[in-house]
Amino acid sequence: MNIVLLCVGSLKERFWEDATKEYQKRLQKFCKLEIKELSEQNKFSSIDKIIAEEGKEIIANIKGYSILFDIEGKEQSSEQFAKNISSLFQKSSTLTFIIGGSYGVSEEVKKRVDERLSFGKITLPHNLARVVALEQIYRAFMINGGGKYHK
């Protein structure tokens, strides 16, 4: 089982890095995890151009079944997410999760991905979204394996 987490931008504070490393360590028991940081396209003055260029890079890096974390996506409980991951791994050996840039993602990305999921109607900073995504992926493996982590 392979999981790719595509993230536009990099972590800037150590506490985000520490949290990310903790979940990477926990997840290595269950899957091969690759976190791929894509460049923020700050060199463009137009937000539309930034979104378009980041979108091209996202699309070029998608492997297997793709899931975009998107405020407009469908909401799932942790149990539903776990069940979804389990069934998706029966169809594809690689799942790519995507966290877009600070301006969002292009319509091309939204059309290209296989699924769009939401953490709810709240807006999360991208660094926190990365940690939440990793935690929920870890929780899904624990639920599916009958672990005690999920209460």
Side-chain angles (χ1 to χ4, degrees), residues 108-123:
E108 290 76 19
V109 171
K110 290 179 182 181
K111 289 175 186 170
R112 163 56 184 89
V113 297
D114 298 301
E115 195 171 330
R116 292 164 56 193
L117 292 179
S118 175
F119 290 131
K121 298 298 179 194
I122 59 172
T123 302

Side-chain angles (χ1 to χ4, degrees), residues 23-84:
Y23 285 108
Q24 283 179 289
K25 183 177 83 176
R26 292 180 185 196
L27 281 165
Q28 70 186 6
K29 298 176 210 167
F30 304 105
C31 64
K32 180 179 178 235
L33 174 67
E34 175 188 359
I35 297 176
K36 186 161 182 130
E37 294 180 340
L38 307 176
S39 300
E40 291 179 289
Q41 299 298 319
N42 303 5
K43 61 187 172 205
F44 299 105
S45 57
S46 158
I47 291 174
D48 289 340
K49 183 71 172 163
I50 291 170
I51 292 171
E53 290 302 312
E54 288 175 351
K56 288 177 190 174
E57 194 170 356
I58 289 169
I59 290 170
N61 283 279
I62 292 174
K63 299 174 187 172
Y65 191 90
S66 56
I67 300 171
L68 172 66
F69 290 114
D70 180 3
I71 199 166
E72 297 169 353
K74 66 181 175 184
E75 294 181 36
Q76 292 183 335
S77 68
S78 295
E79 294 86 356
Q80 290 168 322
F81 183 63
K83 187 175 182 179
N84 192 24

Side-chain angles (χ1 to χ4, degrees), residues 3-6 67 69 81 85 95-99 117 137:
I3 291 183
V4 178
L5 181 60
L6 294 180
I67 300 171
F69 290 114
F81 183 63
I85 284 180
L95 302 181
T96 298
F97 293 93
I98 302 158
I99 299 173
L117 292 179
I137 294 166

